[in-house]
């Protein structure tokens, strides 16, 4: 079977990119709809102590009023109290222990030194004591049933006959021993210690607690309890407009909601419910695609990035669906803020907020108190995005977590006060799910790393690591090409300040600036900033060869960067920082010295491409300005200003900024920043 070349595969992917996008959208919508619970949505939201602002709610059918949880708990407690613990009586134990007593007496009698005439008296007395104890019954008290006192009622089963008694009428082993001690004391002719020792060794419990039978009876009585109290008839007013939702009205509304959902589950058309969910989820995913098409075309055109976004959305909603199926006690345990944090760090703020709103809107259809849920999660999501607007340090994750927790707390306190009207009735334990959710949100950090590796994306976290000057390539450059390293640092400072002013990714442009000249590491002495002894190796080379050595630092830099696994987005700065400009020094030198010779200009021209992002365009300008400023013999305000204006004009005239999306207004801002910073670098005194 013929194998397609990589270029052919890419061409096919571009050709069918739109079809692939639609397929991914369909798969995403299908998975979400499949995972979501298939039930009709109750059309009203209600809370205790609020005013019912809807129209009069009339019951469309008869339904029972459900008991509240405290009422059901009280009924269960009363029902369980009516079940007495069951004890099984061992009728054989009395005879067994009497025979055992006889054997013990025979063994120990000869060494006791007692009167043989009293042997039968000892035997008969022991028999009678054991029989009396076992006839009455010996048991072990169960602490579970000693709630109202030490003794409690029991039911004794003996030969399939049930007898109700109280433990006060029965023996424990301790009581049985005390009874025998008392009875033996009435017979002074007998050795009390000898006889009591023999008898108590044969006193065992003959009433055994039957846990299984008792539990079965308890289960039967609790299962047979009614969970309803009263009925609402068809046509009755469940609640009138303007009424306060008190406890009674709330229970009626809750009962109506349960009856509505049960009725919809039994009689509703599941296909129509499925269609409704498909339409709702479909329109939200479509809105997301429209947003990407209008405002983030770069992401829209990259199906790899679109698939990542759809995966994150699907995973979050699938997690919610799983929580609903598992009947999680509180849906606020789910870390909804993890979605905006991941999208913000991997993409941008607008996209993160847009996606978070869409996820919350879908989730709101399937969680109780939808408005409260939306308020909690939208505010927390917005704060999570704002708190990491500029990710510079890792600890910002922890700071963001604290800010999100505080936002949840303020929202929780506000909603609780609106609902309760007092601090005393607020159940602070209800805030625990929010705290757990924030802790789980910290999982965003490893997930971001995973997404970066799987989808080949570079986040701000990776850029922070790359801009560390202790990174291997930068350490090598600082040692092998110190002049280039210092140049790169200055370029990074210029470019970072400029891009921050006109709007762009400052971390990205700094990383690109630090690595843009790493190709010079291989032949550092061929670049003037590394020549400290006055020796210039270009003096012995033809101009064409010198130009090619200079130009090759771009291709060598790309090669070194890929070997070091630098992200492609950073490698783009190496590729584009000279665009397709000429190495003018050697080109003009060749023309001056060999005017009669024909020369191919491309030998002296960088291969390009020209910068295709705002960040890359700013880096090109910063690189040229910083390098040229080193040639100023007496840098002052005027010379620096002329230099910056000349270089920026030259880049414009050479069409190097055509694809960089930098406006003329941006260029004026960039020039002012470059001039101010260069004057500061060269300690130029400004006239006031």
């Amino acid at each position: 079977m013929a194998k397609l070349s990589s270029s052919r595969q890419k061409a096919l992917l571009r050709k069918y990119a739109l079809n692939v996008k639609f397929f991914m959208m369909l798969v995403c919508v299908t998975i979400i709809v499949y995972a979501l619970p298939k039930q009709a949505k109750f059309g009203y939201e209600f809370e205790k102590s609020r005013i019912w602002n809807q129209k009069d709610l009339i019951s469309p059918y008869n339904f029972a009023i459900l008991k509240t949880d405290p009422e059901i708990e009280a009924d269960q407690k009363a029902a369980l109290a009516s079940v007495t613990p069951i004890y099984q009586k061992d009728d054989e134990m009395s005879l067994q222990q009497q025979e055992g007593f006889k054997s013990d007496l025979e063994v120990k009698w000869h060494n006791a030194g007692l009167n043989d005439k009293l042997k039968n008296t000892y035997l008969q007395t022991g028999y009678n004591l054991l029989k009396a104890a076992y006839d009455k019954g010996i048991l072990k008290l169960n602490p579970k049933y000693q709630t109202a006192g030490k003794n409690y009622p029991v039911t004794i089963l003996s030969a399939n006959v049930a007898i109700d008694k109280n433990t006060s009428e029965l023996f424990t082993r301790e009581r049985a021993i005390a009874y025998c001690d008392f009875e033996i004391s009435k017979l002074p002719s007998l050795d009390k210690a000898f006889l009591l020792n023999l008898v108590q060794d044969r006193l065992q419990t003959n009433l055994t607690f039957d846990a299984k039978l008792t539990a079965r009876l308890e289960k039967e009585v609790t299962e047979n309890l009614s969970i309803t109290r009263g009925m609402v008839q068809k046509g009755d007013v469940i609640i009138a407009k303007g009424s306060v939702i008190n406890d009674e009205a709330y229970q009626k509304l809750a009962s109506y909601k349960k009856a509505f959902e049960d009725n919809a589950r039994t009689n509703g058309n599941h296909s129509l419910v499925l269609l409704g969910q498909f339409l709702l989820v479909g329109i939200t995913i479509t809105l997301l695609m429209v947003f990407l098409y209008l405002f983030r075309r770069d992401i829209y055109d990259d199906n790899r990035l679109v698939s990542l976004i759809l995966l994150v959305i699907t995973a979050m909603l699938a997690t919610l669906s799983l929580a609903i199926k598992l009947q999680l006690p509180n849906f606020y345990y789910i870390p909804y803020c993890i979605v905006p944090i991941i999208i913000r760090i991997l993409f941008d703020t607008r996209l993160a907020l847009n996606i978070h709103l869409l996820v919350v809107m879908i989730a709101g259809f399937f969680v109780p108190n939808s408005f409260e849920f939306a308020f909690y999660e939208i505010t927390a999501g917005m704060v999570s995005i704002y708190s990491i607007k500029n990710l510079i340090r890792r600890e910002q994750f922890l700071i963001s977590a604290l800010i999100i927790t505080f936002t949840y707390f303020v929202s929780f306190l506000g909603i609780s006060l609106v609902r309760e009207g007092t601090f005393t009735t607020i159940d602070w334990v209800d805030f625990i799910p929010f705290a757990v959710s924030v802790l789980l949100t910290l999982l965003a950090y490893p997930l971001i790393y995973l997404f970066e590796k799987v989808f080949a994306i570079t986040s701000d976290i990776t850029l922070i690591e790359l801009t560390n000057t202790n990174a291997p390539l930068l350490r090598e450059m600082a040692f092998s090409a110190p002049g280039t390293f210092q140049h790169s640092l200055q370029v990074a400072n210029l470019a970072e300040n400029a891009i921050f002013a006109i709007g762009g990714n400052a971390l990205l442009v700094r990383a690109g600036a630090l690595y843009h000249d790493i190709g010079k590491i291989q032949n550092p002495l061929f670049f003037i900033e590394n020549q400290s002894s006055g020796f210039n190796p270009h003096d012995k080379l033809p101009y064409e060869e010198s130009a090619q050595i200079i130009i090759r630092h771009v291709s060598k830099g790309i090669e070194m960067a890929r070997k070091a696994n630098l992200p492609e987005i950073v490698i783009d700065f190496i590729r584009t920082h000279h665009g397709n400009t000429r190495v003018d020094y050697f080109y003009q030198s060749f023309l001056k010295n060999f005017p009669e010779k024909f020369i191919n200009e491309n030998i002296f021209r960088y291969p390009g491409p020209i910068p295709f992002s705002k960040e890359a365009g700013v880096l090109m300008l910063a690189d040229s300005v910083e390098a040229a400023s080193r040639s100023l013999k007496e840098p002052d305000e005027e010379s620096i200003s002329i230099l910056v204006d000349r270089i920026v004009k030259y880049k414009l005239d050479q069409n190097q900024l055509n694809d960089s999306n930098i406006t003329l207004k941006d260029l004026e801002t960039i020039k002012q920043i470059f001039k101010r910073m260069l004057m500061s670098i060269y300690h130029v005194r400004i006239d006031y």
Side-chain angles (χ1 to χ4, degrees), residues 361-398:
M361 282 195 298
I362 296 175
F365 277 96
F366 304 96
V367 296
N369 298 325
S370 299
F371 178 78
E372 279 189 16
F373 169 82
F375 184 84
Y376 277 125
E377 299 310 331
I378 290 175
T379 53
M382 292 170 71
V383 166
S384 67
I385 294 169
Y386 301 158
S387 62
I388 53 174
K389 180 179 181 295
N390 293 308
L391 185 63
I392 301 174
R393 300 179 304 276
R394 294 175 187 272
E395 58 263 28
Q396 283 183 248
F397 272 112
L398 294 176

Side-chain angles (χ1 to χ4, degrees), residues 16 114 127 139 195 280 289 303 432 476 510 584 641 678:
Y16 296 106
L114 300 175
Y127 265 35
L139 52 67
L195 182 57
L280 291 174
M289 290 298 114
N303 282 339
I432 292 177
E476 184 181 354
R510 183 169 188 82
D584 267 342
S641 180
L678 287 173

Side-chain angles (χ1 to χ4, degrees), residues 109 205 221 240:
W109 180 263
T205 55
V221 297

Side-chain angles (χ1 to χ4, degrees), residues 550-570:
I550 298 298
I551 290 170
R552 271 201 299 272
H553 87 273
V554 172
S555 58
K556 290 294 183 181
I558 294 171
E559 183 181 326
M560 293 176 66
R562 285 183 174 153
K563 189 175 180 181
N565 294 319
L566 291 188
E568 281 296 322
I569 196 170
V570 175

Side-chain angles (χ1 to χ4, degrees), residues 157-209:
L157 291 182
S158 177
N160 293 325
V161 176
I163 303 172
D164 292 330
K165 288 197 173 187
N166 193 286
T167 55
S168 60
E169 306 172 49
L170 304 171
F171 282 136
T172 62
R173 188 170 183 277
E174 291 75 16
R175 290 180 195 168
I177 293 172
Y179 163 76
C180 293
D181 186 306
F182 178 77
E183 293 297 323
I184 294 173
S185 298
K186 295 178 181 179
L187 303 171
S189 60
L190 302 182
D191 187 333
K192 177 181 175 181
F194 174 75
L195 182 57
L196 183 61
N197 186 56
L198 290 176
V199 171
Q200 72 179 12
D201 285 345
R202 291 296 167 178
L203 288 174
Q204 305 294 330
T205 55
N206 68 330
L207 299 177
T208 306
F209 176 59

Side-chain angles (χ1 to χ4, degrees), residues 138 198 226 285 294 376 413 420 425 427 452 461 476 511 525 534 552 584 667:
I138 305 173
L198 290 176
S226 173
I285 298 301
L294 294 176
Y376 277 125
L413 183 62
E420 306 291 344
T425 58
D427 190 356
E452 281 190 271
I461 298 172
E476 184 181 354
L525 294 180
R552 271 201 299 272
D584 267 342
L667 284 176

Side-chain angles (χ1 to χ4, degrees), residues 213-432:
L213 182 57
T214 304
R216 192 175 75 187
L217 291 175
E218 289 176 345
K219 183 179 179 181
E220 287 177 359
V221 297
T222 54
E223 286 180 345
N224 291 330
L225 288 174
S226 173
I227 61 172
T228 63
R229 51 171 175 81
M231 295 283 295
V232 173
Q233 302 296 326
K234 180 179 180 180
D236 287 354
V237 177
I238 300 174
I239 187 169
K241 182 177 181 179
S243 301
V244 177
I245 304 177
N246 55 23
D247 290 343
E248 184 67 23
Y250 181 87
Q251 204 56 30
K252 285 184 179 181
L253 288 168
S255 303
Y256 176 47
K257 179 180 179 181
K258 178 69 166 54
F260 172 85
E261 291 174 349
D262 290 343
N263 185 60
R265 193 178 296 113
T266 304
N267 303 319
N269 190 325
H270 291 276
S271 298
L272 293 179
V273 173
L274 189 68
L275 176 61
Q277 290 183 346
F278 192 88
L279 292 174
L280 291 174
V281 177
I283 194 172
T284 55
I285 298 301
T286 302
L287 284 172
L288 172 61
M289 290 298 114
V290 171
F291 173 84
L292 293 176
Y293 181 83
L294 294 176
F295 303 106
R296 287 303 304 268
R297 191 63 182 267
D298 56 324
I299 298 176
Y300 178 85
D301 291 335
D302 191 338
N303 282 339
R304 173 176 52 89
L305 301 181
V306 172
S307 65
L308 168 58
I309 293 170
L310 295 179
L311 174 63
V312 171
I313 294 173
T314 304
M316 176 50 66
L317 292 174
T319 301
L320 173 63
S321 302
L322 180 63
I324 293 173
K325 290 179 181 178
L326 295 177
Q327 297 182 346
L328 201 69
N330 195 312
F331 294 125
Y332 292 112
Y333 282 112
I334 300 172
Y336 300 96
C337 289
I338 204 170
V339 171
I341 288 176
I342 290 175
I343 300 300
R344 163 62 193 88
I345 292 175
L346 294 180
F347 298 103
D348 65 25
T349 299
R350 287 188 305 168
L351 181 58
L353 182 58
N354 191 283
I355 289 176
H356 184 58
L357 291 175
L358 294 178
V359 170
V360 170
M361 282 195 298
I362 296 175
F365 277 96
F366 304 96
V367 296
N369 298 325
S370 299
F371 178 78
E372 279 189 16
F373 169 82
F375 184 84
Y376 277 125
E377 299 310 331
I378 290 175
T379 53
M382 292 170 71
V383 166
S384 67
I385 294 169
Y386 301 158
S387 62
I388 53 174
K389 180 179 181 295
N390 293 308
L391 185 63
I392 301 174
R393 300 179 304 276
R394 294 175 187 272
E395 58 263 28
Q396 283 183 248
F397 272 112
L398 294 176
I399 296 171
S400 178
L402 292 175
I403 296 174
I404 295 170
T405 304
F406 179 73
T407 303
Y408 271 134
F409 179 77
V410 172
S411 300
F412 174 79
L413 183 62
I415 290 175
S416 298
L417 290 175
V418 167
R419 184 189 299 150
E420 306 291 344
T422 175
F423 281 102
T424 56
T425 58
I426 296 176
D427 190 356
W428 300 104
V429 176
D430 289 342
F431 185 71
I432 292 177

